[in-house]
Structures are given as C-alpha cells and as structure tokens.
Amino acid sequence: MAGQRTTELTKICGPMDLYDYLSVVVYKGAEGLICRRHAWVDEIKNDLLAGRPVSFRGFDKLFWRTLDEEDPDGDEWYRLTSGEEFLSQLLSLLGILRSANRRLLHKIDVLPDLKIGWA
C-alpha cells in the first residue's frame, strides 16, 4: 500500500476485500499438496516449494472442484476459511485498517505500530 495509502484503504469495505492483501505460506507438506493439486498448482508451485508467500486468492484457487467431487484438502481449507476464528481475525484486521485510515485522514504522517501477533 506504500505510496497509495489512503486510496487503497478506501477500497477495503468488508472482510472479503482483505483477500487481495493476504498471503499464505505453506511451511510443511508442500510436496504432497502439489501432488494432490497438480492440475491447478503450476503458477505458484515454485513459491510453495520454497516456502514463499503466495496470494490468498491464488492459493484458494487450488481448491476448485465440482460439487460431486470428494476433496479432503478442499474440505479442510473451506472449513478453516469459513470458520468463526478466521472471520474474527479478518474483522480485527479490518478494525485496525479502519483506525489507520481515520488517522491518515487526519493528516498524521506516521502509522501506529500495527503488530497484530498472528501467525
């Protein structure tokens, strides 16, 4: 958001708007995930193997499937991202961003320390 601080913040109105700014890091099991998701993983394969962040939306695309398809990985991913804890964290982040936006609108040049403490 550097250089476009207020214009980017005004685009964030709800939790789903945060998805464009989130990333996912796979710390272990990337090889197995790549084998199981091989049809969709090409764009982010190297980043996954190297333990580098990939966009939330790009990672989410790995779990595309038809309704009648069995997919334990997809079930786990959707259970995690649709759960109360994930939504609660997004709402907390949204509150922090709204506060930062208000501070920017009041011409405060320095953002507060926004350490969230999430893994």
Side-chain angles (χ1 to χ4, degrees):
M1 290 187 184
Q4 301 176 340
R5 298 186 323 185
T6 54
T7 55
E8 286 297 315
L9 286 173
T10 57
K11 294 177 185 178
I12 300 172
C13 299
M16 290 184 71
D17 296 333
L18 294 170
Y19 290 0
D20 292 329
Y21 303 96
L22 299 177
S23 60
V24 175
V25 176
V26 176
Y27 289 102
K28 68 180 186 180
E31 295 85 2
L33 180 66
I34 289 168
C35 285
R36 293 187 305 275
R37 312 314 296 180
H38 67 318
W40 303 281
V41 78
D42 287 338
E43 292 178 22
I44 61 173
K45 181 179 180 179
N46 292 333
D47 289 332
L48 287 173
L49 288 171
R52 289 189 297 259
V54 296
S55 76
F56 181 89
R57 291 199 190 272
F59 190 78
D60 190 57
K61 288 179 186 178
L62 293 181
F63 303 103
W64 179 91
R65 65 179 176 186
T66 58
L67 289 176
D68 62 346
E69 185 179 353
E70 290 207 20
D71 183 9
D73 287 332
D75 291 343
E76 182 180 2
W77 175 249
Y78 290 119
R79 200 170 25 259
L80 289 170
T81 59
S82 63
E84 277 187 43
E85 185 176 344
F86 184 71
L87 180 59
S88 176
Q89 290 179 352
L90 287 181
L91 290 173
S92 293
L93 179 57
L94 194 57
I96 291 168
L97 292 175
R98 286 181 176 148
S99 175
N101 190 39
R102 282 191 298 274
R103 287 173 171 245
L104 286 170
L105 292 174
H106 288 99
K107 308 265 188 244
I108 294 175
D109 291 331
V110 180
L111 285 174
D113 185 10
L114 298 176
K115 292 182 182 171
I116 301 170
W118 297 331

